């Protein structure tokens, strides 16, 4: 199934997502895997506690509330957890699935996705954290942004692989190659299309901002372009323009060329080698490959 079958959890918490500042992607992923490995149907919280924690019930509960607020689970009663939306893009990694759930949230819980929109709209490659705080206070003003909340946001999105950071003050606005590869591959497989304009529209609707300009001919964000170029250079993706084509996506200008060719179509032409750490998600980059 696809995103058309997305179900919003009943009775979920309404606390602002950005206020779950102790939650980390690694813990969410561990819970998600534990639920995925469990028998079908509701899972007792005590089972998760026994398997995943060392007595820190409060933190487990915070993680479960966060997953509940993002429509990963429902809570038919306080001691039970019932996974939902398991059939929405079922082959995706946890990281891409988490990104999709974040993107599906309505106002005011859309603020995590909106923060990514603002960051990519305001800067081409890097952005100072304090400057992002200023932008968010102005452009996503229904949230009382501060450094603590922006730290929560960038740690979450760094864990997913949407961006990186030089330190806590400088954000690097390029997704990891594995994320962009997975999303383009999923688009091609689910939509049966090689149209790059359709692909970026689909990415922005379901996952993340990838464009910097939209009126007229859309232009791919510079940080995303850098990642796409890595995929092309590594022989994993092929892109091409077409004479007199409509609905192309322009690449940003560079120092050596005033304008890159526009892209009309793309193809997935390879699979990342298992030992290529740059194609792994952040949590898996230092995991040894068996075999």
């Amino acid at each position: 199934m696809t995103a058309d079958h997305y179900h919003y959890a009943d009775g979920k918490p309404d606390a602002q997502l950005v206020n779950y500042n102790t939650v980390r992607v690694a813990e969410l992923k561990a819970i998600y895997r534990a639920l995925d490995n469990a028998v079908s149907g509701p899972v007792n919280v005590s089972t998760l506690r026994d398997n995943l924690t060392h007595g820190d019930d409060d933190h487990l509960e915070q993680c479960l509330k966060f997953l509940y607020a993002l429509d990963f689970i429902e809570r038919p009663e306080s001691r039970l957890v019932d996974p939902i939306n398991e059939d929405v893009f079922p082959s995706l990694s946890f990281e891409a699935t988490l990104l999709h759930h974040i993107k599906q949230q309505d106002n005011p819980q859309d603020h995590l996705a909106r923060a990514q929109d603002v960051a990519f709209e305001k800067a081409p490659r890097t952005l100072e954290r304090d400057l992002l705080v200023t932008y968010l206070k102005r452009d996503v003003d229904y949230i009382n942004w501060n450094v603590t909340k922006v730290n929560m946001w960038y740690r979450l999105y760094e864990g997913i692989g949407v961006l990186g950071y030089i330190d806590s003050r400088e954000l690097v606005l390029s997704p990891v190659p594995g994320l962009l590869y997975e999303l383009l591959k999923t688009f091609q497989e689910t939509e049966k299309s090689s149209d790059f304009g359709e692909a970026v529209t689909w990415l922005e609707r379901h996952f993340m901002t990838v464009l910097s300009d939209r009126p007229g001919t859309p232009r791919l964000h510079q940080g995303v372009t850098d990642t796409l170029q890595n995929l092309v250079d590594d022989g994993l993706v092929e892109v091409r323009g077409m004479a007199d084509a409509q609905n192309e996506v322009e690449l940003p200008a560079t120092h050596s060329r005033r304008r890159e060719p526009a892209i009309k179509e793309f193809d997935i032409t390879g699979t990342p080698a298992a030992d290529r750490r740059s194609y792994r998600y952040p949590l898996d980059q230092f995991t040894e490959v068996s075999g």
Side-chain angles (χ1 to χ4, degrees), residues 23 32 39 50 76 82 87 114 149 154 188 221 255-256:
V23 169
Y32 178 82
V39 296
D50 293 343
D82 193 6
D87 55 355
R114 285 288 298 123
K149 292 178 181 179
Y154 86 69
Q188 199 165 65
H221 180 266
H255 293 298
S256 59

Side-chain angles (χ1 to χ4, degrees), residues 213-218:
D213 294 307
R214 291 166 184 78
T217 302

Side-chain angles (χ1 to χ4, degrees), residues 67-84:
L67 291 171
Y68 190 6
L70 285 176
D71 312 309
F72 279 93
I73 61 174
E74 288 185 321
R75 304 286 294 271
E77 54 183 282
S78 61
R79 65 185 179 87
L80 295 178
V81 173
D82 193 6
I84 61 173

